[in-house]
Amino acid sequence: MRYAISVQYIGKNYAGSQIQFENGKQIKAPTIQGELEKALSTLILSGRKAQSNMPAKYNNRPIKAIFSGRTDKGVNALGQEVHFDADEMIVASKFLYSINEILPDDISVTNLRKVDESFHAQKSAKKRHYRFEFINRRCKNAFDRDLLRVKYPTDENRMQKSLNYLLGEHDFSSFKSTGTLNPSTICIIYEAKVSKVEDKVIIDIIGNRFLYNMVRTIVGTLLEIEGHNLAPEHMKEVLEAKNRTKAGRTVSPYGLTLMKVMY
């Protein structure tokens, strides 16, 4: 049987969401996947051992968690989606309480549902919603925490005009960092919006898929346009160049959150 769960986490203390390998060997660094698989295996395997009618060959088989996509070190998630397979029926209310007691305080599971065997957390996803937040203020505040602070003024309307050039289907090579195994650079951006709440700037981007560090590089380019008072059309020029050196820097992962995955 296949189950899907919704997961929330704060990424600051983890080396990204996915277990990482180097030269065929797993890197010993804490990851969201590692913690989740450990908790799932602890919970489900203990339940199997308590059932005398469960075949012995299943008792020690670990649970594999498949994520909707990778998030980097420091990136948070409010609605990461994960699927896993189990041989037994799982009661949602009992499961949610038990697994959240096992998981670290900065990871939580908010929902569990039984899905069709054909469901795949990554391949079945249609849209992904990312949000980047930064502080637009000269002086620091003790409650800014790890959010990026931009000291020069930014214009909400100008930033929106810049983002509008990204809407639709494009080759986003200019916003792709090295490190991804997927050679495809074509993405569809359905929505890209800027809003301001006091001195916090919020950038919401919804797309069918995202390249490695794509959102953070888009934000870096947006800030370059604002910081140097470039025309919003500069974003279009960067996009059409299909050249990473034309875009702005890749900003800090802190402030980036995977809000929701849509199926």
Side-chain angles (χ1 to χ4, degrees), residues 54-110:
M54 180 64 71
K57 66 178 180 178
Y58 295 131
N59 286 348
N60 296 311
R61 189 168 66 192
I63 304 298
K64 178 72 173 176
I66 307 298
F67 282 55
S68 70
R70 167 185 174 180
T71 58
D72 296 328
K73 175 179 173 60
V75 177
N76 307 319
L78 193 64
Q80 175 70 272
E81 294 295 322
V82 177
H83 84 253
F84 66 91
D85 294 326
D87 297 295
E88 51 274 282
M89 287 292 297
I90 298 176
V91 179
S93 57
K94 183 178 179 181
F95 170 87
L96 291 174
Y97 173 80
S98 299
I99 197 166
N100 283 316
E101 288 296 303
I102 299 172
L103 286 167
D105 290 342
D106 48 9
I107 306 175
S108 63
V109 177
T110 61

Side-chain angles (χ1 to χ4, degrees), residues 134-151:
F134 67 87
I135 301 299
N136 195 191
R137 184 191 335 108
R138 289 194 62 178
C139 296
K140 73 176 184 179
N141 183 299
F143 291 94
D144 289 345
R145 302 187 187 278
D146 297 306
L147 290 182
L148 173 68
R149 178 163 52 90
V150 176
K151 299 178 183 179

Side-chain angles (χ1 to χ4, degrees), residues 71-250:
T71 58
D72 296 328
K73 175 179 173 60
V75 177
N76 307 319
L78 193 64
Q80 175 70 272
E81 294 295 322
V82 177
H83 84 253
F84 66 91
D85 294 326
D87 297 295
E88 51 274 282
M89 287 292 297
I90 298 176
V91 179
S93 57
K94 183 178 179 181
F95 170 87
L96 291 174
Y97 173 80
S98 299
I99 197 166
N100 283 316
E101 288 296 303
I102 299 172
L103 286 167
D105 290 342
D106 48 9
I107 306 175
S108 63
V109 177
T110 61
N111 182 48
L112 175 136
R113 62 192 187 278
K114 190 174 182 299
V115 294
D116 188 81
E117 294 290 335
S118 63
F119 176 87
H120 192 283
Q122 180 184 24
K123 296 177 182 178
S124 300
K126 303 298 183 185
K127 297 180 181 179
R128 295 165 173 86
H129 174 190
Y130 277 94
R131 171 174 290 175
F132 190 90
E133 299 177 304
F134 67 87
I135 301 299
N136 195 191
R137 184 191 335 108
R138 289 194 62 178
C139 296
K140 73 176 184 179
N141 183 299
F143 291 94
D144 289 345
R145 302 187 187 278
D146 297 306
L147 290 182
L148 173 68
R149 178 163 52 90
V150 176
K151 299 178 183 179
Y152 52 81
T154 62
D155 186 288
E156 185 178 348
N157 292 325
R158 279 173 42 87
M159 287 191 289
Q160 185 61 61
K161 288 180 181 178
S162 296
L163 286 177
N164 287 344
Y165 288 108
L166 303 179
L167 296 175
E169 184 174 2
H170 302 284
D171 184 330
F172 282 87
S173 296
S174 292
F175 304 97
K176 172 189 173 184
S177 295
T178 58
T180 178
L181 298 177
N182 192 335
S184 175
T185 55
I186 305 299
C187 305
I188 303 172
I189 299 300
Y190 300 103
E191 293 183 37
K193 295 181 179 179
V194 180
S195 57
K196 250 184 176 181
V197 179
E198 296 180 347
D199 51 15
K200 179 182 286 186
V201 178
I202 303 167
I203 300 170
D204 288 293
I205 303 179
I206 299 176
N208 67 328
R209 60 190 292 268
F210 291 88
L211 308 180
Y212 183 47
N213 285 341
M214 178 173 155
V215 175
R216 291 163 56 193
T217 307
I218 288 173
V219 174
T221 306
L222 200 60
L223 293 178
E224 184 177 79
I225 292 171
E226 289 301 288
H228 293 87
N229 198 31
L230 303 175
E233 288 78 12
H234 181 72
M235 183 70 82
K236 182 174 184 287
E237 295 170 3
V238 172
L239 177 67
E240 293 177 344
K242 302 175 187 176
N243 185 337
R244 176 62 186 88
T245 64
K246 301 298 182 181
R249 67 187 179 94
T250 301

